[in-house]
Amino acid sequence: MSEIIKLKNVSKEYKSVNHREGFIGCLKDVFSRDFKIIKAVDSISLNISQGEIVGLLGPNGAGKSTTIKIMTGILKPTSGKICVDGSIPYLNRTKYSQKIGVVFGQRSQLWWALPLVESFKILKDIYQVTDEKYEEIMKLYRSLLDIDALLHKPVRQMSLGQRTLSDILAAFLHDPKIVFLDEPTIGLDVSMKAKIRTLIHALNKEKNTTVILTTHDIGDVDALCKRIIIIDEGKMLYDNDIEHLKGFFGSYRTLKLRFDGNIQEQATHIQEVLSDFSVSVDDEWISILVDDEKENVIDIIGLLQNSYNIKDMQIEEISTEEVIKKIYEERLQ
Amino acid sequence: MKLKKYLTLTRAGIMETFQFRLSFIVMIIGNLLYLIVMYFVWSAIYASSNNDIINGMAFTDTLIYLVLATAQFNLMEMYIVWEIGNNIRSGRIVLDLLKPIEYRKYIFWLFSGGVVSHFLMTFLPTFIAVAIATHGAISMGINLLYYLLSVVMAISINYSIEFIVGTICLYTESIWGINIMKQVIVLLLSGATIPIAFFPEPLKAIINYLPFQSIYNAPLSLLLDGTPAAETVLSTLGTQLIWCIIMMVISKVFWKVSLRQITVNGG
């Protein structure tokens, strides 16, 4: 597969005003300002192939959106090289924009007062899509979902889910090579999320479009992305398959146990015995996070069985969500 | 094919304005109230004067001028500053910047639809009403053609000024104050609120060197002067054309420089 997006040591710095505190400080700000430099993106290198779906994850303010803005050409990196499909995004933006489609979850590019079909027609003319290509893509849309119900509805009367769906269709209309989706499922209900995931997946498959997706919903990642990139404080923490992610910390599992007697006392005692692992307690269960590489879960059960009367137990695989939470919290390198 | 890219935006603009029928009615009522106030203000001015003609304009001349100026204001006021300012604030500008059309052109064509619909819905009716009511005070000859040419250039100059002011919003992040300031300066110095004939001589001299009078004063003088001399027509249209080009270049360059500012410092 050919690589379509190449970033090498891309950094982006912002100058930001250090605001002083209080009323007097506010007045001082008017006359003298001191700036500090914030590194929003810090030396990111990555290569993405044609047809991939890549999930860009990271806590709020981690630099995901900045990275997307650099890739779409809105921002010029402070340093580093970027090349997308043979062109440098920020140089000839008007021409470059022909190659990409964009959806920003909270904003819509559709014409508010007009029925959806009019927005499509406008975009068709702006992007100079031929009639045949337009018919072709509409046929594809029809095969994927019941689009006719949407087409004649003014965008302002649509629900958030319908609007997001329409925005995604609009972004794919001119058959771009890359589509950037910035939090496409934000604020949507479960069934709409599923619908949108199916749609993105199908369009990616049909058109072999590269999709870059930022999200906070791990469900999106699990359903769509083979590969994820985790960014925090502008730095890239992880860039690999989802499967590898779980093994990233060793293979963790949560062992949940229930005993007779005072649960708090027992938990403290177990923590003393198993000092390597973290033990937590809720109303009914004592949970032990076990690293399979250090100690087998079965052995621990055996060990505990000697001193306690186990009433009930569960073993849980660690979820992607928990792994990512751990990464965010630990900020490990 | 290339033109279609732009005309589709005009079409969308027309459709969008016609979605809001009520706004036409509100606009017409608003104008009527404004004109009634103007009628009484100017009749007071003329009553307090000993002459029927002040600064070369009779009462009816002044009134016709003001009515047409108002109609022309509705025709070409696109409220671009609001649009750009709001787009910057909400961040929607990001989406518009990612269209394969230059932003300056994109906004212009998007709002050209509004101009067309306002021409049909407010300007033309007003014009016809004035022509009938004044029994031929507006001569229907070649001056209409001059006026048309002149208005097209006026729209372009006005747009460039609005776009420049809109670009300033990139730096200030506030819209209201700037927009009001622009509005007052343009409407006053262009002769939209008070005919330039009423201005004191020194101010007139200054105004002659500014682009604003090309927006209202120039087209309206061409229209109302029944048989303008070829020389006047040429110098008026020529001045407009020069301003048209100068303002276009300034707005383009200013936008380009400012945009670099965003792409470097973030939006």
Side-chain angles (χ1 to χ4, degrees):
Chain A
M1 274 196 285
S2 60
E3 275 163 357
I4 190 160
I5 302 179
K6 281 177 257 181
L7 269 74
K8 205 167 174 219
N9 298 321
V10 168
S11 298
K12 178 76 203 172
E13 288 167 357
Y14 289 122
K15 244 194 202 167
S16 124
V17 181
N18 256 335
H19 284 287
R20 297 182 183 86
E21 215 180 299
F23 182 70
I24 301 292
C26 190
L27 288 180
K28 278 184 186 164
D29 271 345
V30 176
F31 299 105
S32 80
R33 293 192 158 174
D34 70 296
F35 293 97
K36 64 173 173 219
I37 287 183
I38 294 172
K39 270 203 159 172
V41 172
D42 191 357
S43 191
I44 286 185
S45 301
L46 52 92
N47 292 311
I48 293 167
S49 306
Q50 175 76 50
E52 262 189 293
I53 302 186
V54 178
L56 211 53
L57 300 174
N60 292 322
K64 289 172 303 200
S65 291
T66 311
T67 311
I68 290 247
K69 281 181 185 160
I70 289 173
M71 288 198 269
T72 52
I74 288 175
L75 294 179
K76 184 184 166 186
T78 316
S79 63
K81 275 184 190 158
I82 175 163
C83 180
V84 181
D85 192 37
S87 40
I88 295 164
Y90 57 88
L91 279 187
N92 193 347
R93 199 184 351 230
T94 318
K95 207 170 156 203
Y96 175 70
S97 56
Q98 196 79 34
K99 297 180 187 176
I100 59 170
V102 189
V103 176
F104 291 109
Q106 301 284 48
R107 297 167 200 137
S108 176
Q109 63 163 331
L110 304 166
W111 273 256
W112 200 243
L114 303 180
L116 179 62
V117 66
E118 296 300 337
S119 287
F120 279 5
K121 280 185 193 158
I122 294 164
L123 290 170
K124 167 183 177 285
D125 287 339
I126 292 180
Y127 286 98
Q128 306 196 319
V129 181
T130 60
D131 289 342
E132 298 90 71
K133 282 247 165 130
Y134 179 75
E135 279 310 315
E136 197 182 300
I137 194 106
M138 290 311 272
K139 216 162 121 190
L140 174 65
Y141 287 174
R142 274 196 190 94
S143 72
L144 293 174
L145 56 126
D146 182 22
I147 187 180
D148 291 293
L150 280 180
L151 275 180
H152 299 284
K153 198 169 177 180
V155 176
R156 70 193 141 114
Q157 288 171 11
M158 287 184 181
S159 70
L160 180 64
Q162 289 173 322
R163 217 196 63 205
T164 311
L165 212 63
S166 311
D167 254 310
I168 291 172
L169 296 177
F172 276 89
L173 199 72
H174 58 287
D175 196 12
K177 288 200 165 158
I178 308 153
V179 170
F180 298 94
L181 304 169
D182 196 1
E183 307 195 9
T185 56
I186 195 162
L188 302 184
D189 69 50
V190 186
S191 89
M192 201 35 121
K193 271 182 186 171
K195 222 170 167 180
I196 280 178
R197 285 170 194 155
T198 325
L199 179 71
I200 295 172
H201 193 76
L203 287 170
N204 160 264
K205 232 179 165 179
E206 281 296 324
K207 294 270 160 196
N208 198 29
T209 314
T210 311
V211 177
I212 316 281
L213 175 94
T214 75
T215 183
H216 287 295
D217 189 329
I218 308 304
D220 292 345
V221 179
D222 275 330
L224 287 170
C225 312
K226 280 215 181 71
R227 174 179 169 193
I228 63 170
I229 292 169
I230 300 177
I231 296 177
D232 192 20
E233 292 180 334
K235 293 193 180 70
M236 203 154 78
L237 297 183
Y238 180 87
D239 174 12
N240 211 331
D241 295 349
I242 284 203
E243 284 86 51
H244 283 88
L245 184 67
K246 291 183 185 170
F248 199 51
F249 301 90
S251 24
Y252 278 95
R253 277 191 229 180
T254 311
L255 175 62
K256 285 181 148 187
L257 297 165
R258 193 147 60 175
F259 307 111
D260 284 333
N262 185 325
I263 194 165
Q264 286 293 344
E265 256 171 44
Q266 286 161 344
T268 333
H269 188 242
I270 291 169
Q271 181 72 76
E272 275 163 25
V273 178
L274 303 168
S275 52
D276 277 354
F277 307 118
S278 81
V279 178
S280 58
V281 186
D282 60 21
D283 289 350
E284 299 165 71
W285 297 92
I286 296 176
S287 314
I288 309 163
L289 194 63
V290 185
D291 182 352
D292 250 356
E293 278 166 8
K294 284 190 190 154
E295 186 108 46
N296 205 312
V297 179
I298 305 291
D299 292 344
I300 291 178
I301 297 170
L303 187 78
L304 293 176
Q305 210 166 15
N306 291 336
S307 26
Y308 299 99
N309 182 18
I310 299 176
K311 257 175 70 187
D312 199 355
M313 71 172 198
Q314 283 179 356
I315 298 173
E316 280 175 2
E317 288 290 330
I318 192 160
S319 65
T320 320
E321 187 156 359
E322 274 167 279
V323 176
I324 286 168
K325 197 171 134 208
K326 256 182 102 63
I327 295 184
Y328 289 180
E329 279 166 2
E330 289 180 11
R331 307 251 152 105
L332 60 83
Q333 292 292 309
Chain B
M1 194 65 196
K2 189 117 178 124
L3 194 63
K4 197 176 166 195
K5 194 162 146 181
Y6 300 121
L7 288 180
T8 190
L9 291 173
T10 309
R11 193 177 140 264
I14 296 174
M15 289 173 72
E16 216 156 32
T17 17
F18 277 97
Q19 290 279 328
F20 305 103
R21 281 180 304 175
L22 203 63
S23 78
F24 287 111
I25 297 168
V26 171
M27 188 186 263
I28 287 168
I29 293 174
N31 287 337
L32 232 52
L33 290 175
Y34 171 77
L35 289 171
I36 288 169
V37 171
M38 282 296 119
Y39 175 85
F40 286 114
V41 168
W42 286 97
S43 45
I45 292 173
Y46 275 87
S48 70
S49 165
N50 298 323
N51 296 328
D52 280 346
I53 291 172
I54 307 177
N55 295 314
M57 288 176 87
F59 179 60
T60 41
D61 291 341
T62 311
L63 216 55
I64 292 171
Y65 179 94
L66 286 173
V67 171
L68 291 177
T70 309
Q72 198 186 314
F73 169 78
N74 290 329
L75 173 68
M76 52 192 209
E77 185 57 46
M78 309 200 220
Y79 301 100
I80 300 292
V81 182
W82 284 115
E83 176 73 10
I84 297 178
N86 282 331
N87 277 352
I88 291 168
R89 267 197 173 173
S90 69
R92 207 197 125 104
I93 194 168
V94 170
L95 287 168
D96 293 337
L97 287 175
L98 289 173
K99 294 272 178 339
I101 298 183
E102 225 180 283
Y103 188 66
R104 195 181 170 283
K105 285 186 193 156
Y106 181 73
I107 296 290
F108 178 80
W109 287 98
L110 204 57
F111 280 81
S112 62
V115 174
V116 174
S117 25
H118 286 137
F119 177 78
L120 295 174
M121 299 297 287
T122 59
F123 184 82
L124 217 51
T126 315
F127 186 84
I128 292 168
V130 170
I132 293 171
T134 58
H135 306 294
I138 307 170
S139 55
M140 299 286 166
I142 187 80
N143 59 337
L144 289 184
L145 185 70
Y146 298 148
Y147 179 67
L148 203 68
L149 260 171
S150 188
V151 160
V152 169
M153 286 195 278
I155 288 174
S156 167
I157 297 170
N158 189 44
Y159 176 72
S160 293
I161 291 173
E162 288 218 31
F163 196 80
I164 291 169
V165 178
T167 311
I168 296 174
C169 291
L170 277 177
Y171 300 95
T172 62
E173 283 165 36
S174 93
I175 316 161
W176 203 81
I178 292 176
N179 196 32
I180 296 294
M181 203 169 81
K182 179 231 111 196
Q183 199 96 318
V184 169
I185 290 175
V186 171
L187 289 183
L188 185 67
L189 298 186
S190 65
T193 33
I194 303 167
I196 287 183
F198 286 83
F199 284 37
E201 284 307 324
L203 193 56
K204 255 194 236 175
I206 298 171
I207 285 173
N208 260 327
Y209 292 103
L210 293 175
F212 306 112
Q213 60 92 19
S214 282
I215 303 175
Y216 288 97
N217 187 51
L220 289 172
S221 329
L222 283 178
L223 178 70
L224 295 175
D225 187 352
T227 46
E231 214 173 289
T232 327
V233 174
L234 272 181
S235 76
T236 311
L237 291 181
T239 316
Q240 276 193 299
L241 186 64
I242 291 167
W243 277 120
C244 204
I245 294 166
I246 293 176
M247 297 316 281
M248 195 186 282
V249 170
I250 293 177
S251 71
K252 263 192 169 169
V253 171
F254 184 39
W255 174 250
K256 219 169 182 183
V257 171
S258 309
L259 201 60
R260 208 170 301 147
Q261 196 74 17
I262 334 182
T263 55
V264 174
N265 284 333

